[in-house]
Amino acid sequence: MNKKTYLLFCLLGLMILSGYSQTSLKTVVAEKGDGIYSLLRKQGLSPAKHYGHFIALNKDNLWDSIHLFQGREYILPPVVVDSVMVADSVQENTTEIKKMPQVVEESLFGKEHTLVPVKSNKLNGAVYYLVSGNGGPDPGAVATYKGKMIAEDEYAYDITLRLAKELMSHGAETYIIIQDPNDGIRDYGVLEVDRDEVVYPSQEIPLNQLQRLRQRVDIVNKLYLKNKGKYQRLIVTHVDSRSKGQNIDVFFYHHEKSINGKHLAESIHETFLNKYRKYQPNRVYEGTFGDRSGLYMVKNTLPAMAYIEVGNIRNKKDQRRILDPNNRQAVANWISEGIILDRTRKSR
């Protein structure tokens, strides 16, 4: 390192330390019902800007990397004004200072989630098609929660958006097949039911069930052929509608003749098993993976795929789990980790 570069680094360090000294680190105690998003908002901080920094500062004090412990103290991200300007000035004079993390944008995620910081390149070169169940004229399974109607398609869509954001943050090329321009990622429990979803890029969803399924299969297969030669996978997400009394875990399915589909479903299932062993050791996880080749989407789509049933929206216990936005985020995170596990094990 030459003398000029050394002096520039010293100047940068002093200015950054000066900026932090003018903005002392603040802490806050998590209250009952607090999630990271709500806690940041209550402190006047934008979750879209500060979520990742908050996790980095408190990573050893979080449950499953995203959940707060009630009564514990958490560090709030500092807001430093001058240091960024200094860093930019120094960067003009030396190539040894690392650039700020890359950020991508996706308006479908909603105002507070539009910006997606790129965490890694683990999924660079991989293409994922994400299909949330039902939508448009078909809300899927419906139930009542505290006097309000809740519908399968809204929760499947919210989890799918969260999953898409996670995959994009690791460099994946991601296609969200079912889209609702008005509903981004929603950080609250009861999601309003509507019927304005469309199929990528902007096709109206037909009323007839078979036509709806064919429409989704057609667009996925066209995109698959367009991206021929690339590593491609399909994830279909549903919120299962089994009998009210049957509390279920997350289940994963694949085509019986698809080796890659089996590996994908198995990797995600393995991730869920490990998470339950770590965070709920006294609870038996009963979710499985297996083939369901009779399902139209499983049978007729070209990419290797995993068909995921997240929970039972008509069961009271599952309702509480599915309605919690932090739980929906955890499900998306775990699916994403399983996808990364499958991708990094072997390039197929």
Side-chain angles (χ1 to χ4, degrees):
M1 182 183 295
N2 60 42
K3 184 176 181 181
K4 181 180 178 182
T5 302
Y6 174 77
L7 291 173
L8 286 170
F9 269 109
C10 291
L11 175 62
L12 174 61
L14 288 171
M15 293 301 291
I16 291 177
L17 288 173
S18 174
Y20 272 98
S21 66
Q22 294 173 19
T23 310
S24 58
L25 291 176
K26 296 181 180 180
T27 60
V28 63
V29 175
E31 300 176 349
K32 184 178 181 180
D34 273 344
I36 295 176
Y37 292 110
S38 61
L39 184 142
L40 288 172
R41 286 197 194 96
K42 287 195 290 186
Q43 300 302 315
L45 298 172
S46 167
K49 293 181 180 179
H50 299 289
Y51 181 83
H53 196 179
F54 180 91
I55 289 179
L57 288 170
N58 298 281
K59 61 182 180 180
D60 296 327
N61 199 21
L62 296 169
W63 174 72
D64 191 28
S65 302
I66 61 167
H67 292 292
L68 303 175
F69 290 97
Q70 181 182 340
R72 288 195 185 179
E73 190 174 46
Y74 291 92
I75 302 170
L76 293 173
V79 180
V80 183
V81 178
D82 296 328
S83 62
V84 173
M85 295 174 60
V86 175
D88 289 342
S89 176
V90 175
Q91 192 171 5
E92 291 176 2
N93 294 282
T94 177
T95 59
E96 295 184 40
I97 298 178
K98 293 182 180 180
K99 295 180 180 180
M100 295 292 289
Q102 181 186 1
V103 175
V104 295
E105 297 185 31
E106 177 50 71
S107 60
L108 283 174
F109 296 152
K111 185 177 179 181
E112 293 190 350
H113 294 271
T114 297
L115 300 180
V116 184
V118 176
K119 304 173 187 176
S120 78
N121 62 356
K122 293 177 181 177
L123 296 177
N124 276 7
V127 181
Y128 293 93
Y129 308 106
L130 308 184
V131 179
S132 55
N134 309 102
D138 177 22
V142 297
T144 301
Y145 180 80
K146 294 184 178 180
K148 295 184 178 180
M149 188 175 83
I150 54 176
E152 173 184 2
D153 69 322
E154 301 297 337
Y155 293 91
Y157 182 63
D158 189 76
I159 291 169
T160 297
L161 289 184
R162 294 172 188 273
L163 173 59
K165 186 176 179 180
E166 283 299 308
L167 298 180
M168 289 172 63
S169 76
H170 293 288
E173 182 179 351
T174 307
Y175 291 87
I176 303 168
I177 303 302
I178 307 301
Q179 302 184 352
D180 188 331
N182 302 318
D183 292 339
I185 294 172
R186 290 170 280 181
D187 298 314
Y188 46 88
V190 177
L191 305 183
E192 183 179 352
V193 180
D194 60 31
R195 298 174 182 270
D196 59 350
E197 293 85 7
V198 297
V199 168
Y200 175 93
S202 57
Q203 301 177 47
E204 182 179 350
I205 299 176
L207 180 63
N208 180 272
Q209 182 184 22
L210 183 57
Q211 290 179 3
R212 287 200 304 271
L213 293 173
R214 283 176 177 167
Q215 182 185 52
R216 295 167 197 210
V217 166
D218 287 346
I219 190 60
V220 168
N221 288 347
K222 286 178 182 177
L223 289 169
Y224 177 84
L225 294 174
K226 177 183 175 182
N227 290 304
K228 191 174 181 179
K230 296 181 180 180
Y231 177 99
Q232 303 183 64
R233 297 292 184 267
L234 166 64
I235 307 291
V236 178
T237 308
H238 279 264
V239 181
D240 189 71
S241 59
R242 301 185 184 190
S243 63
K244 293 182 181 180
Q246 188 174 0
N247 181 37
I248 71 167
D249 283 307
V250 182
F251 288 75
F252 310 94
Y253 303 107
H254 59 88
H255 193 285
E256 63 179 345
K257 294 183 179 179
S258 173
I259 296 174
N260 290 338
K262 179 181 179 181
H263 288 162
L264 175 61
E266 187 175 16
S267 294
I268 304 173
H269 176 256
E270 180 182 327
T271 300
F272 273 69
L273 275 175
N274 292 334
K275 293 294 185 180
Y276 270 84
R277 288 192 188 110
K278 181 177 180 179
Y279 297 111
Q280 298 188 47
N282 297 321
R283 182 189 183 288
V284 177
Y285 176 67
E286 298 178 345
T288 61
F289 81 95
D291 68 86
R292 285 190 70 179
S293 304
L295 294 173
Y296 192 91
M297 288 290 293
V298 177
K299 184 179 181 180
N300 293 285
T301 46
L302 293 174
M305 64 101 75
Y307 185 104
I308 303 175
E309 292 179 348
V310 172
N312 182 359
I313 200 169
R314 291 178 177 169
N315 178 277
K316 295 300 181 184
K317 289 182 180 179
D318 272 7
Q319 280 181 7
R320 289 194 292 271
R321 176 162 56 90
I322 295 165
L323 266 63
D324 184 341
N326 290 313
N327 285 338
R328 297 198 297 271
Q329 185 63 51
V331 169
N333 289 351
W334 293 3
I335 295 172
S336 174
E337 288 183 35
I339 289 171
I340 292 172
L341 175 64
D342 176 69
R343 180 70 173 100
T344 55
R345 274 177 167 170
K346 182 180 179 181
S347 181
R348 292 182 285 270

